[in-house]
Amino acid sequence: MLRAYTITSGKGGVGKTTLTVNLGISLAMLERETYILDADIGMANMALILGMDDVPVTLHEVLAGKADIEDAIYEGPAGVKVVPSGISLQGFQQADPEKLRDVMHKLVDRCEFLLIDAPSGISKEGVVPLSVADQVILVVNPELASMADALKTKILCEVMGGRVYGAILNRAGLEHTELRSQSVEDVLGVRVIDVVPEDASVRRAAAYKSPCVLKYPHTPATRAFKRIAAQMAGAEYNEAAEDASQESFVDRLARAVFR
């Protein structure tokens, strides 16, 4: 059965697209048929993150009635399927956001998970993704402005009849994490699904146009992405096994020699 999640935020720059990409790949690594769709048709970044900025057909052409959705689906890392939006202003002007509902209907029988990267804030383009998904995930940074804008998005989602699955506290400092999570829950009135810590490896991976979960598989942010994906999929995430797999050959040799 398809589970569709719209991933959104009250303001830009909170790491929403990076989160969507890494969660999608983590779900695919759990052998779940997963699609990630860039519905941020005005400020699309998913194609850039994945190095797909030169693909011939994007969601722009589909929403403009120039192509079918099958032509805009591409194989991504770890088997995740990617539906990118174009990065041209002309493509955005020709795209009709209302046709996103038709795109969703055509993807229903194709996958187990559909992650929709929605536009930030309250806009015409952002309303449709909030209303079509089964549940909405709010991405917030540990700062007042981000939480205030996320609260507006949550209220809009509820007005549209949507259901908020929870919030992800992204790019959080390692100190006082529990206190910050409680603050987010108090302000937004939803549970914090998990916390993704501030991690320089996420930016380094983006520079290589490679998702963090693949480029740096043992960093704190990657572990958080995998933990959230396991929770969504109802699977077990064994962090102790991750620690063991990180042990180097020299460490294993030394342990064996000096046991």
Side-chain angles (χ1 to χ4, degrees):
M1 181 180 69
L2 169 70
R3 279 176 276 182
Y5 293 88
T6 289
I7 300 178
T8 188
S9 62
K11 62 189 293 291
V14 300
K16 172 178 54 65
T17 301
T18 299
L19 181 71
T20 303
V21 168
N22 282 282
L23 277 185
I25 293 172
S26 297
L27 285 166
M29 291 169 71
L30 291 172
E31 300 183 351
R32 304 302 199 270
E33 185 67 21
T34 304
Y35 280 53
I36 51 177
L37 183 149
D38 191 351
D40 192 353
I41 59 176
M43 304 292 285
N45 287 315
M46 186 179 291
L48 294 173
I49 291 176
L50 291 168
M52 293 183 173
D53 44 303
D54 59 348
V55 295
V57 180
T58 72
L59 185 63
H60 278 176
E61 285 71 43
V62 177
L63 297 182
K66 297 179 179 179
D68 199 70
I69 185 60
E70 284 79 9
D71 301 321
I73 299 172
Y74 299 90
E75 183 89 13
V80 69
K81 303 300 190 302
V82 183
V83 182
S85 273
I87 58 175
S88 74
L89 182 59
Q90 183 180 9
F92 163 66
Q93 291 172 327
Q94 296 174 350
D96 180 5
E98 290 295 329
K99 291 185 178 179
L100 186 61
R101 301 177 191 274
D102 299 329
V103 170
M104 288 278 295
H105 286 308
K106 293 181 180 180
L107 294 178
V108 164
D109 298 324
R110 292 174 175 265
C111 55
E112 294 177 71
F113 287 91
L114 173 62
L115 305 185
I116 305 168
D117 182 16
S120 303
I122 300 173
S123 65
K124 178 183 177 182
E125 292 77 23
V127 167
V128 175
L130 290 179
S131 62
V132 296
D134 297 320
Q135 300 189 75
V136 173
I137 295 175
L138 299 170
V139 182
V140 297
N141 290 156
E143 56 186 45
L144 187 57
S146 176
M147 288 192 284
D149 289 343
L151 179 59
K152 298 173 189 175
T153 305
K154 179 211 172 192
I155 294 171
L156 175 61
C157 174
E158 293 172 343
V159 169
M160 296 295 299
R163 180 183 173 192
V164 177
Y165 178 70
I168 294 175
L169 185 55
N170 195 35
R171 296 169 60 182
L174 296 179
E175 65 280 354
H176 307 303
T177 298
E178 296 81 4
L179 178 61
R180 290 179 175 180
S181 296
Q182 187 61 55
S183 298
V184 172
E185 291 180 345
D186 291 343
V187 172
L188 298 182
V190 299
R191 73 184 182 101
V192 170
I193 301 166
D194 210 323
V195 176
V196 180
E198 182 70 63
D199 189 339
S201 64
V202 176
R203 291 190 296 275
R204 288 198 298 268
Y208 286 104
K209 293 187 177 181
S210 176
C212 186
V213 292
L214 298 178
K215 185 72 175 175
Y216 302 107
H218 302 293
T219 61
T222 288
R223 294 185 184 198
F225 295 138
K226 290 181 177 180
R227 207 166 47 234
I228 297 168
Q231 181 186 152
M232 294 169 68
E236 181 180 353
Y237 175 65
N238 192 334
E239 199 151 344
E242 291 279 349
D243 290 335
S245 67
Q246 191 176 7
E247 187 179 37
S248 70
F249 169 75
V250 174
D251 291 333
R252 293 194 299 271
L253 180 62
R255 182 164 47 81
V257 170
F258 296 109
R259 183 179 296 169

